[in-house]
Amino acid sequence: MEGAGGGAAYPSRTAEEVFRDLRGRRAGMIKALTEEVEKFYKLCDPEKENLCLYGYPNETWEVTLPAEEVPPEIPEPALGINFARDGMNGKDWLALVAVHSDSWLLAVAFYFGARFGFDRETRRRLFNMVNNLPTIYEVVTGVAKKQAKEKTPNSSSKSNKPTSKVQSRVEPRSSSKAKVSAPKDEEDSGDEDGDEVEEEHDNTLCGTCGTNDGKDEFWICCDNCEKWYHGKCVKITPARAEHIKHYRCPECTNGNSNKRLKP
């Protein structure tokens, strides 16, 4: 289905592939509700029929009528987003569309999970990866930026970043291996913040396997998307990391966000 973002099928179906599909759709919808919001507003004419906002895996978006097929190829977004446009405050309307968009993305992701026969562990890994992203609502309303600032009160510029995220973020542990501290520049926060930093470490999920297992193992952060990975998941050792000035994870290197899923 054109509106559902169909296209060439993947040779295999994994949680990571479904997550990439969701992430592309999410990026397109965020674009519609932020940087291209004027165009989105004009397209949502209340005089037209029930309109939906679709996000596609290649990070584009479209405001169009719902699918004519019954049942549709994939779950449908919220119908009639255009009808409330002129009856609400503009920001409130965008926030409402954002909430429905978040719900649709989850529905699509777990629809694919059901179609592809994901087991309990694979579904959990998929949800962990999705949950690690700010919601569209958080991005559109500015909550995501606020949360990021609260987590990094002392990081006013990128000059705080070490040349290698491994070099200055390795914590001594009781085991022979080291774990890179979880996101951003918390290493000098002092003893009184120790519990908060440790809690943040515990909540950090690997961008590949979607777990935070192996807390005493080596981790590395991507300088491009700023996600954290188990060294073993991306085949990077502590010794090799010491010689990497700017690390890019496999997803950022391969640039697979334009691929599409089709059942």
Side-chain angles (χ1 to χ4, degrees):
M1 182 180 78
E2 185 79 17
Y10 280 101
S12 63
R13 269 69 169 181
T14 66
E16 287 71 25
E17 288 169 336
V18 173
F19 175 66
R20 283 197 295 270
D21 180 90
L22 176 143
R23 194 173 57 186
R25 296 176 190 273
R26 171 182 172 275
M29 299 176 98
I30 288 176
K31 191 181 297 181
L33 299 175
T34 55
E35 58 189 270
E36 297 180 4
V37 68
E38 291 185 11
K39 177 181 177 182
F40 172 71
Y41 185 89
K42 291 177 181 177
L43 290 173
C44 292
D45 185 349
E47 299 300 320
K48 295 183 179 179
E49 298 182 46
N50 285 309
L51 294 177
C52 302
L53 171 61
Y54 286 94
Y56 298 134
N58 62 356
E59 302 187 7
T60 59
W61 60 276
E62 181 181 19
V63 171
T64 187
L65 295 170
E68 295 180 359
E69 302 141 283
V70 178
E73 184 181 351
I74 65 173
E76 288 293 326
L79 296 174
I81 58 172
N82 50 315
F83 295 148
R85 189 195 73 176
D86 295 344
M88 298 177 65
N89 173 276
K91 290 183 178 179
D92 292 340
W93 175 65
L94 290 175
L96 179 64
V97 175
V99 169
H100 282 293
S101 299
D102 284 319
S103 301
W104 179 66
L105 289 179
L106 286 174
V108 171
F110 282 88
Y111 165 82
F112 281 131
R115 283 296 295 267
F116 301 156
F118 287 176
D119 58 20
R120 179 179 178 181
E121 174 59 28
T122 306
R123 292 194 304 270
R124 184 184 68 83
R125 193 167 77 250
L126 173 60
F127 178 78
N128 283 340
M129 288 188 287
V130 174
N131 200 41
N132 216 26
L133 292 173
T135 64
I136 296 177
Y137 172 82
E138 289 172 338
V139 174
V140 170
T141 60
V143 173
K145 285 185 178 180
K146 182 179 179 182
Q147 290 176 342
K149 288 181 180 179
E150 288 175 352
K151 286 184 178 180
T152 57
N154 296 323
S155 56
S156 57
S157 69
K158 288 194 175 182
S159 62
N160 293 347
K161 280 188 178 180
T163 304
S164 167
K165 289 194 176 183
V166 175
Q167 222 163 5
S168 63
R169 293 190 183 186
V170 175
E171 296 180 339
R173 298 274 182 167
S174 56
S175 71
S176 59
K177 295 183 178 180
K179 176 183 176 181
V180 179
S181 64
K184 301 183 180 180
D185 303 322
E186 295 278 353
E187 60 267 28
D188 295 324
S189 59
D191 294 339
E192 61 184 10
D193 295 329
D195 293 339
E196 294 179 8
V197 173
E198 189 63 33
E199 182 180 351
E200 189 173 349
H201 292 179
D202 293 341
N203 293 333
T204 302
L205 301 177
C206 173
T208 296
C209 69
T211 72
N212 63 353
D213 299 336
K215 297 173 184 176
D216 293 332
E217 293 184 7
F218 168 74
W219 292 61
I220 188 168
C221 183
C222 174
D223 284 289
N224 187 54
C225 67
E226 298 192 348
K227 290 184 181 178
W228 293 81
Y229 297 86
H230 291 115
K232 65 183 180 181
C233 289
V234 291
K235 296 181 172 60
I236 298 291
T237 63
R240 182 181 173 190
E242 292 294 336
H243 300 285
I244 299 176
K245 292 184 178 180
H246 188 88
Y247 175 68
R248 290 171 63 89
C249 67
E251 289 186 6
C252 292
T253 301
N254 295 333
N256 289 327
S257 62
N258 288 336
K259 290 187 176 180
R260 295 183 174 188
L261 286 176
K262 185 176 181 181

